[in-house]
């Protein structure tokens, strides 16, 4: 924990809890809850002080999530997903510096909430070693991401998601790797199967709308890997 983190977090936590109690969401999703968490500044919990965060570590995250869970299980679950992704961003060396700074800027300057989109029909948790059926295929100067995820916690509130996909074609040495690719959403919403979903890529230079969930990002961009290699 950074020296000043202990002084910055309790007041923001108290403000968030007061707001959530006033909303009284129970255990169902209510968009006012993530809005309250962002308004309190807690979404910056696990970012370093020097980047505009609150400097919290694992101990502070556990304390905050326990306090939120005592008020609303739904709030704690959604915020846990954000906390996990943000802290992985901070601790992983796999993120390119420019991309890391861009995502940190989304959180600090724009109040972004993050999560990963990994769960697929028939696959279960990627932690058990299953490769995703979602694929990223190189096409001219971009990769095209195609696939369907069964759910992503707090999706309507998210500004950006990490989408697990298999890059094709892959070299034999990387065939069992899982990569997480950032996709900044222009409109987070549920759509019928096959209706398409529009997402903004990083860097935000191209758009794609096509069947399934698709997005494009430049081939030259590195896709950070915070996920363990599948067995």
């Amino acid at each position: 924990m950074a020296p000043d983190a202990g002084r910055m977090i309790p007041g923001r936590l108290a403000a968030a809890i007061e707001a959530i109690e006033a909303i009284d969401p129970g255990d169902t999703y209510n968009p006012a809850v993530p809005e309250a968490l962002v308004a309190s500044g807690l979404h910056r919990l696990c970012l370093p002080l020097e980047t505009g965060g609150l400097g919290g570590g694992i101990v502070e995250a556990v304390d905050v999530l326990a306090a939120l869970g005592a008020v609303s299980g739904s709030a704690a679950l959604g915020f846990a997903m954000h906390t996990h992704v943000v802290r992985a961003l901070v601790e992983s060396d796999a993120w390119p510096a420019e991309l890391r700074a861009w995502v940190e800027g989304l959180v600090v300057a724009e109040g972004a909430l993050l999560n990963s989109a990994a769960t697929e029909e028939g696959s279960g948790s990627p932690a058990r070693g299953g490769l995703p059926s979602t694929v990223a295929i190189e096409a001219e100067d971009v990769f095209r991401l195609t696939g369907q995820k069964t759910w992503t916690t707090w999706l309507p509130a998210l500004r950006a998601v990490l989408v697990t996909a298999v890059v094709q074609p892959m070299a034999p040495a990387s065939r069992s790797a899982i990569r997480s690719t950032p996709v900044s959403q222009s409109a987070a919403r549920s759509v019928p199967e096959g209706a398409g979903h529009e997402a903004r890529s990083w860097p935000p230079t191209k758009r794609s709308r096509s069947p399934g969930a698709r997005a494009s990002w430049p081939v030259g961009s590195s896709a950070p890997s915070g996920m363990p290699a599948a067995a």
Side-chain angles (χ1 to χ4, degrees):
M1 178 181 70
D4 293 335
R7 296 192 294 270
M8 300 175 66
I9 296 171
R12 296 179 185 278
L13 176 59
I17 288 176
E18 181 179 1
I20 293 171
E21 287 179 331
I23 298 167
D24 191 21
D27 285 331
T28 59
Y29 174 75
N30 185 320
V33 171
E35 291 172 4
L37 287 166
V38 171
S40 74
L42 276 182
H43 65 295
R44 298 183 283 117
L45 174 64
C46 291
L47 286 176
L49 293 171
E50 57 268 26
T51 63
L54 302 184
I58 184 65
V59 174
E60 291 73 34
V62 169
D63 289 343
V64 166
L65 291 171
L68 291 176
V71 178
S72 169
S74 175
L77 175 62
F79 192 64
M81 301 298 102
H82 169 78
T83 301
H84 167 76
V85 172
V86 171
R87 193 61 196 178
L89 166 73
V90 172
E91 295 184 352
S92 174
D93 293 331
W95 286 75
E98 183 181 0
L99 178 55
R100 184 198 307 271
W102 183 75
V103 176
E104 288 176 342
L106 285 180
V107 176
V108 173
E110 302 185 28
L113 294 172
L114 315 176
N115 195 2
S116 60
T119 306
E120 298 181 353
E121 188 70 31
S123 174
S125 170
R128 295 181 175 89
L131 286 174
S133 60
T134 300
V135 297
I137 301 175
E138 185 174 346
E140 297 179 355
D141 62 338
V142 299
F143 283 112
R144 189 169 299 280
L145 184 66
T146 304
Q148 293 183 342
K149 305 297 183 179
T150 52
W151 76 79
T152 299
T153 301
W154 269 16
L155 180 61
L158 301 181
R159 179 64 191 279
V161 297
L162 297 177
V163 182
T164 57
V166 173
V167 178
Q168 295 182 344
M170 292 188 296
S174 63
R175 187 164 299 280
S176 61
I178 298 178
R179 301 183 183 182
S180 298
T181 301
V183 179
S184 179
Q185 298 177 323
S186 60
R189 63 191 185 279
S190 297
V191 295
E193 182 175 347
H197 181 76
E198 186 174 359
R200 195 177 74 228
S201 63
W202 180 89
T205 56
K206 294 181 179 292
R207 289 179 182 270
S208 172
R209 185 175 179 85
S210 47
R214 291 193 176 186
S216 301
W217 69 97
V219 169
S221 301
S222 299
S225 176
M227 303 291 293

